[in-house]
Amino acid sequence: SCISLPSRYKPADTDSRTNRHYALNFRAYTHFTSPIRRYVDVVVHRMLAHAIAEDPNPPFTTVGAGSNTGLPFTPPEETIYDRKTVELIAENCNLRKSKSKQAQDDSGRVYMALCIKACPIVRQAIVIDMGYKSFKVMLPKMGIDAQVYVDDIKAFKAQVVNAKGEKVDDSNEGSTPKSERYLSITWKQGGPPEKIGVFGGVCVKLTAKMSPPPIDIRYHVVQHGSEEEKATAAAEVKSQEKPPSLKRSDSSSMIEMADELQQ
């Protein structure tokens, strides 16, 4: 039978110890819901129908769709699945489920990019992972994780250094723990460098990337308290008085993006 896991579908093992439902004290167990929702549920329904039809003393009688005669219903032979077929069906369902989730996430990101196209926004972010060419930040108020590249920081000098202030690169990356790496940013010539480690805070500006496709969001680290941050924040406040509306060209971009995702 097919069992539903949080992330993947797979055929059940033949070992009754792994199929057993502890709370219900059942020797064998499978999970399914309405067959109009998921194809794996259709498979489970078909397999159960065959199991009931082959039982010499079935607990109840299956009746054909649209029939009120009460005569036993015999499932068609083409719906008899061997284990290999069930494995292939489960793998295909996993692929489709993954693609659907990806399309959902991409659609949300495209819509957000279109919303901030006219008015970029600034948000406080927390560094949650530190590489040496890039680092990952989390925007708590937006529930977003994003990868930011050091070379994209518009500053006089930006690099990842170790506790001694030495630049982390290919030669010493393996010997420098992430907990001992720091993002060092010198915003202007002659100014003191700003050092940010894991769980440190940075100011991030979000802008829309419309071309080349795919549509996406760009994340830029800006100096906290700078004129760029203040101007972006002021423009955001002003835009809230009249929220931006999607134009026909934006809708076309979303349709083109949807076509790309389907391919």
Side-chain angles (χ1 to χ4, degrees), residues 4-5 45 133 174 176 193 198 200 220 222:
S4 175
L5 296 176
H45 274 253
K133 293 183 179 180
T176 308
V198 176
H220 314 270
V222 297

Side-chain angles (χ1 to χ4, degrees), residues 31-137:
H31 166 77
F32 62 92
T33 182
S34 170
I36 65 173
R37 297 183 59 197
R38 302 178 304 188
Y39 187 73
V40 288
D41 296 320
V42 177
V43 174
V44 174
H45 274 253
R46 289 172 175 173
M47 297 176 74
L48 288 175
H50 281 286
I52 294 171
E54 294 173 2
D55 192 336
N57 298 304
F60 54 86
T61 302
T62 56
V63 179
S67 171
N68 57 3
T69 61
L71 296 176
F73 168 67
T74 302
E77 292 186 3
E78 56 267 24
T79 59
I80 299 177
Y81 305 115
D82 56 20
R83 182 175 179 82
K84 183 62 177 178
T85 301
V86 174
E87 289 177 350
L88 293 174
I89 292 174
E91 191 60 35
N92 186 53
C93 288
N94 289 329
L95 176 63
R96 297 300 176 182
K97 181 180 178 182
S98 175
K99 292 290 186 181
S100 175
K101 182 64 168 62
Q102 179 184 350
Q104 180 181 359
D105 294 342
D106 289 346
S107 297
R109 189 167 59 253
V110 168
Y111 181 77
M112 181 177 174
L114 294 175
C115 288
I116 66 174
K117 174 184 176 182
C119 182
I121 60 177
V122 288
R123 292 292 184 271
Q124 292 300 314
I126 300 172
V127 177
I128 58 175
D129 188 38
M130 185 71 72
Y132 69 100
K133 293 183 179 180
S134 65
F135 55 96
K136 182 176 287 187
V137 298

Side-chain angles (χ1 to χ4, degrees), residues 6-23:
S7 58
R8 292 182 64 82
Y9 303 114
K10 69 174 185 178
D13 297 326
T14 55
D15 189 347
S16 61
R17 292 174 299 178
T18 58
N19 290 342
R20 187 178 185 86
H21 194 288
Y22 177 80

